[in-house]
Structure formats: structure tokens, C-alpha cells
């Protein structure tokens, strides 16, 4: 069965315009340098930030709080996941923390960090309280000593968010961030801590506004590969390879982007291949990476025990740094003539080769060849840039994704799509792992024919640079025109 999940490719532009207009009204007040102490129900709190918001109801605020409670990782990035241990109604909190009114609910949860070997788990009480027309939610760490609070958690005895009505007609209210510090200034001692609170109040405002207008999810992660399986693999590869290659990167490109992005893609592919292998006969798949660029993805897959090779128009400096068993080939491909026996054809931001990936996989001599393509810049089968026009509520990128999916289906693949967790906005993976019934040889032949008739290979960057330098030399030696 195909997992044709891409998220919403078209949006309600009218609602989106209203939402963006509300975002423009965001005018927070910060109290990070001076202490703004307030009394609530007889208890002292330090207010770190506040922002007025219009026409948003308590239910909108509580919907945001529910999401943040059940998924702490949305506001505390070092947390991998949240486990709710106990959910009771009208139960008093069993740990320290001032009561902000009548307790409506009390949840106990555990925060599980990403770095399990270094950072400790943390239990919390989450208490929702009502006081007059206002609603508060407190997050109280269950620790014996303040030294037990992990680095990723605010350095506070408790922190909270409030929804405070400011008029009788319920058309205006104020959102606030409150803390009870371990020591004076402990919550805002560093620049990073201060920026966290600034980001939080902005996120609180935007999420509450979004709840009012209705949230339309634009992407769907973890459809094909389980999130926990992927993150475990990612952290394993990151610990194994990241530091060495970030520090030893010899390319002009940003190592933090390319190293971490390729580690993320390799993690996802390895999980995918392990999943497929479990269902078959333990034979590890082979691969070819078309337009492999710096070759780091090929290096990772090879280092993890898979056999394959990468092809690009020209070699990179970094290629010489890889182990000798990493097979990287500098050659210009004619995709309409290229045939491989690899089980998997990969196209990761492969530019003009991207639309050819499903065709090459369909022509593979491997009887069960599959493909994955992560498209970037839009090229058609001629190798030329595609002039895409997006209508309201669409993006050019998603139009291009649909174009490649259409090619995949013409080749007889059941097409799967998923957003990857990589540091790139061009993050849709298109897969072909299974075939539809019927003979698609004529369709594949026509695609090859149409591409071959007008295909123009991209000029390698090294050649472009050489031509550019030669032209510069010619201009420098050209005699100046006489003034006469």
C-alpha cells in the first residue's frame, strides 16, 4: 500500500493572510534585566515577559498548553520525547510550587533527553489552575536539590504560563511567562537563557493565534520510519562521525550543514533498508548515488557496511580523505543511456539527474530495483531549469515534487512521499519501492526518447571556473581603445 503523504500542498490563503496580520501585532514586553515581581493569590512570582493578544479565547491557550505538555520537545529541543506517567483530575501537586488558584488538573510527566548517556531524565508536575477569569499552568521539576536540575531545563523552582483576561467582553487578554527562581537572576543569568524566554513568548503568542484560526498541518513526518528508531540511529551516527568530519572538512561549503544533513539522510536510509531487509531474506541492498557531490553520504553508507558507489561530474577535494573502499567516480552521465545493477538508485539534491532517478531505477538490471530522490532545484528531463508557476496557496517546490511523482508513476512505481528531518527546506523524499501491475516498458522508452532528444549535460563547476578565469585574463590583456 502506498504511503502518499506529503501534507497539505495548498493552503487557505484568506485564513493565512489573517493569521499573518495577527502575527504583525506581536509587541511583547520583556522583564529580563529588571525584576518585575507580581502577587498572584498571595504568592510572589517574577514575570519575565508579557504580550497582549486580541480575540483569542482560553480554549486556544489551553490547546497550546496541551501540546506543550504532551510534547515538551516542542519547546525544549534537547528533550527527545515526553512520557505522561499520571493523569488525574483536581489533585494537589505533591512538590513545591505556589498554588495559582483552584487546581483543574495535575499531570505527572517524564522528560527523556536525546543524550541519554550524558543527561538525566527529569520528572515534572504540570498543574493547571483557575483564578477568577485567568488560567495558569505551572511546570514543577520533581527534584530534591537544585543541583539535580539538568542543563537543558530552566534553572528555576517552577515556571509557568498565564492567560489573563483584561476586559469584561473577553476580546482582549495578556499572555505571561512567570518563574520562581532558584536564586535571584538564575533564570536569566546568560544570554542564551534570556533568548530562550524571548523565543518562548513569541511562540506562545503565535501558537495561540494559530489555534484561533485553525491549524493546517503542512507536513507529515515519521510516516515510513518510526521516530524513535530514526532518532536512535541518528544519534549513533552523529556520535560516530560528526565531530571528526566537521573539524576536518576540506570543502568551501559549510560542514555543519552538509555533515549533519547527510548523517540525517543516511540514518533514515539505513532504517529504511533494515526495515525492508527484515521483511525479506537478509540480503543487504546495493546502491548508486547519482550526483553524489562531496560523497559524504556514500562514505557513511559504505562505512556502515553497505556496498555501492557514487557518481558526480567532477571529483571533490574531500574525496581523497575517505577510506579507499569508498567508491566515488568522476564522470558525466548520459542518463538516458545509463544502466545500473544497483538495488537502490539515490538522487539527493541531484539537480538535472533528479527527474531521471525513477527512470534509471525502472531500467535497472536488478529485478527489484528501488529509488529515493530528494529533489531540490527544478529540472526537466532535458536537464534545463523548469519555469514553474505557482498559484495561490501552492509552492514551486511542491509542484516540482508532483512532477517527479508523475514520472515515477509512469515508470510503474507505487510512489511514497515523506518529509525528512533534515536541516533543509527541500526535504521531501520520494520513494519507489513497489511496482504497479502492467507493462510500462513503452512508457519508459518514450520518457528516455523525449529526454535524449534535448538533453544538455550541466557544465561542471570546475570547467566554469576555468572558463571564467580565461575570460578574465583575456580582458586584462586586451589593449585599451585610443582616446583619438
Amino acid at each position: 500500500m502506498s504511503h502518499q503523504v506529503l501534507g497539505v500542498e495548498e493552503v487557505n490563503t484568506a485564513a493565512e493572510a489573517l493569521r499573518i496580520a495577527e502575527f504583525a501585532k506581536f509587541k511583547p514586553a520583556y522583564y529580563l534585566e529588571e525584576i518585575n515581581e507580581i502577587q498572584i493569590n498571595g504568592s510572589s512570582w517574577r514575570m519575565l515577559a508579557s504580550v497582549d493578544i486580541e480575540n483569542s479565547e482560553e480554549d486556544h491557550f489551553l490547546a497550546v498548553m496541551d501540546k506543550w505538555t504532551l510534547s515538551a520537545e516542542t519547546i525544549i529541543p534537547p528533550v527527545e520525547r515526553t512520557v505522561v506517567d499520571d493523569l488525574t483530575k483536581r489533585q494537589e501537586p505533591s512538590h513545591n510550587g505556589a498554588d495559582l488558584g483552584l487546581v483543574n488538573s495535575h499531570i505527572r510527566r517524564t522528560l527523556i533527553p536525546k543524550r541519554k548517556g550524558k543527561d538525566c531524565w527529569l520528572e515534572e508536575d504540570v498543574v493547571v489552575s483557575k483564578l477568577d477569569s485567568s488560567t495558569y499552568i505551572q511546570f514543577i521539576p520533581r527534584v530534591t536539590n537544585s543541583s539535580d536540575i539538568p542543563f537543558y531545563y530552566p534553572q528555576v523552582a517552577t515556571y509557568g504560563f498565564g492567560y489573563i483576561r483584561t476586559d469584561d467582553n473577553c476580546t482582549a487578554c495578556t499572555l505571561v511567562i512567570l518563574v520562581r527562581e532558584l536564586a535571584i537572576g538564575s533564570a536569566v543569568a546568560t544570554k542564551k537563557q534570556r533568548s530562550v524566554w524571548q523565543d518562548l513568548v513569541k511562540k506562545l503568542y503565535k501558537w495561540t493565534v494559530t489555534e484561533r484560526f485553525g491549524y493546517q498541518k503542512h507536513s507529515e513526518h515519521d510516516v515510513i520510519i518510526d521516530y524513535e528508531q530514526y532518532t536512535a540511529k541518528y544519534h549513533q551516527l552523529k556520535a560516530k562521525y560528526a565531530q571528526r568530519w566537521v573539524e576536518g572538512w576540506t570543502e568551501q561549503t559549510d560542514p555543519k550543514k552538509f555533515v549533519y544533513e547527510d548523517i540525517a539522510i543516511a540514518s533514515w536510509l539505513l532504517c529504511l533498508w533494515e526495515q525492508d531487509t527484515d521483511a525479506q531474506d537478509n540480503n543487504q541492498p546495493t546502491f548508486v548515488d547519482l550526483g553524489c557531490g562531496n560523497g559524504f553520504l556514500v562514505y557513511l553508507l559504505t562505512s556502515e557496511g553497505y556496498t555501492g558507489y557514487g557518481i558526480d561530474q567532477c571529483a571533490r577535494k574531500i574525496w581523497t580523505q575517505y577510506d579507499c573502499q569508498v567508491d566515488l567516480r568522476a564522470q558525466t552521465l548520459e542518463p538516458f543511456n545509463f544502466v545500473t545493477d544497483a538495488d537502490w538508485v539515490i538522487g539527493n539534491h541531484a539537480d538535472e539527474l533528479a527527474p531521471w532517478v525513477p527512470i534509471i531505477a525502472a531500467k535497472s538490471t536488478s529485478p527489484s530495483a528501488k529509488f529515493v530522490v530528494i529533489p531540490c532545484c527544478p529540472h526537466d528531463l532535458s536537464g534545463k531549469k523548469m519555469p514553474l508557476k505557482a498559484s495561490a496557496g501552492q509552492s514551486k517546490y511542491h509542484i516540482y515534487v508532483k512532477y517527479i511523482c508523475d514520472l515515477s508513476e509512469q515508470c510503474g512505481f507505487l510512489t511514497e512521499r515523506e518529509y525528512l528531518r533534515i536541516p533543509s527546506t527541500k526535504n521531501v523524499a520520494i520513494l519507489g519501492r513497489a511496482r504497479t501491475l502492467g507493462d510500462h516498458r513503452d512508457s519508459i522508452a518514450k520518457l528516455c526518447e523525449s529526454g535524449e532528444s534535448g538533453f544538455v549535460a550541466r557544465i561542471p563547476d570546475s570547467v566554469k571556473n576555468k572558463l571564467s578565469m580565461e575570460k578574465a585574463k583575456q580582458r586584462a590583456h586586451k589593449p585599451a581603445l585610443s582616446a583619438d
Side-chain angles (χ1 to χ4, degrees), residues 240-256 258-260 294 296 299 316-322:
K240 194 172 178 181
Y241 299 107
Q243 183 177 352
R244 172 192 169 188
W245 288 104
V246 167
E247 292 175 356
W249 198 248
T250 57
E251 297 295 301
Q252 295 298 313
T253 51
D254 179 7
K256 288 186 178 178
F258 286 94
V259 168
Y260 290 114
N294 57 51
F296 191 59
Y299 162 77
R316 306 293 199 275
K317 288 180 185 177
I318 197 76
W319 287 15
T320 60
Q321 305 299 310
Y322 301 137

Side-chain angles (χ1 to χ4, degrees), residues 284-350:
Q284 285 193 333
T286 58
F287 69 90
V288 57
D289 184 2
L290 304 179
C292 65
N294 57 51
F296 191 59
L297 181 59
V298 177
Y299 162 77
L300 291 169
L301 297 176
T302 303
S303 299
E304 290 302 304
Y306 288 84
T307 301
Y309 62 99
I311 299 175
D312 204 276
Q313 279 188 316
C314 54
R316 306 293 199 275
K317 288 180 185 177
I318 197 76
W319 287 15
T320 60
Q321 305 299 310
Y322 301 137
D323 300 331
C324 58
Q325 71 265 28
V326 179
D327 188 352
L328 297 168
R329 308 173 188 181
Q331 65 182 84
T332 298
L333 281 187
E334 291 183 336
F336 43 85
N337 286 329
F338 181 72
V339 178
T340 180
D341 60 356
D343 298 319
W344 276 86
V345 181
I346 301 170
N348 172 26
H349 294 185

Side-chain angles (χ1 to χ4, degrees), residues 94-330:
S94 57
H95 252 58
N96 59 346
D99 188 2
L100 288 171
L102 181 64
V103 174
N104 274 18
S105 67
H106 168 208
I107 293 174
R108 188 160 299 156
R109 68 179 187 176
T110 302
L111 309 184
I112 301 176
K114 291 176 180 176
R115 304 190 310 172
K116 296 180 181 62
K118 295 184 177 181
D119 303 326
C120 61
W121 294 21
L122 179 68
E123 281 192 343
E124 265 186 317
D125 284 318
V126 183
V127 182
V128 180
S129 307
K130 288 279 292 181
L131 181 63
D132 300 327
S133 59
S134 301
T135 301
Y136 300 95
I137 181 165
Q138 302 175 68
F139 296 86
I140 308 166
R142 293 174 56 80
V143 294
T144 306
N145 300 304
S146 60
S147 58
D148 295 332
I149 295 176
F151 90 95
Y152 58 81
Y153 195 84
Q155 298 303 297
V156 295
T158 179
Y159 71 97
F161 304 97
Y163 173 93
I164 302 172
R165 290 242 170 88
T166 53
D167 72 354
D168 295 332
N169 298 322
C170 303
T171 58
C173 73
T174 301
L175 303 176
V176 298
I177 296 181
L178 307 168
V179 298
R180 296 179 69 240
E181 296 182 291
L182 297 170
I184 295 175
S186 66
V188 291
T190 67
K191 183 179 179 181
K192 185 174 182 180
Q193 287 174 326
R194 292 190 290 274
S195 69
V196 165
W197 298 116
Q198 290 172 330
D199 288 343
L200 267 180
V201 74
K202 186 175 184 179
K203 187 175 282 191
L204 176 61
Y205 180 89
K206 285 191 169 186
W207 282 46
T208 305
V209 167
T210 299
E211 285 294 333
R212 173 185 155 201
F213 287 103
Y215 177 59
Q216 209 173 19
K217 195 168 185 180
H218 290 257
S219 61
E220 194 72 39
H221 297 279
D222 316 314
V223 175
I224 297 170
I225 301 301
D226 175 72
Y227 171 74
E228 289 187 22
Q229 181 189 3
Y230 163 76
T231 51
K233 181 67 72 175
Y234 174 77
H235 290 301
Q236 176 193 342
L237 297 192
K238 180 183 172 184
K240 194 172 178 181
Y241 299 107
Q243 183 177 352
R244 172 192 169 188
W245 288 104
V246 167
E247 292 175 356
W249 198 248
T250 57
E251 297 295 301
Q252 295 298 313
T253 51
D254 179 7
K256 288 186 178 178
K257 174 183 174 4
F258 286 94
V259 168
Y260 290 114
E261 182 172 320
D262 281 354
I263 286 175
I265 293 170
S267 302
W268 188 82
L269 278 172
L270 292 171
C271 290
L272 181 70
W273 291 349
E274 288 167 9
Q275 175 182 290
D276 282 0
T277 301
D278 288 343
Q280 296 173 9
D281 18 304
N282 294 326
N283 290 324
Q284 285 193 333
T286 58
F287 69 90
V288 57
D289 184 2
L290 304 179
C292 65
N294 57 51
F296 191 59
L297 181 59
V298 177
Y299 162 77
L300 291 169
L301 297 176
T302 303
S303 299
E304 290 302 304
Y306 288 84
T307 301
Y309 62 99
I311 299 175
D312 204 276
Q313 279 188 316
C314 54
R316 306 293 199 275
K317 288 180 185 177
I318 197 76
W319 287 15
T320 60
Q321 305 299 310
Y322 301 137
D323 300 331
C324 58
Q325 71 265 28
V326 179
D327 188 352
L328 297 168
R329 308 173 188 181

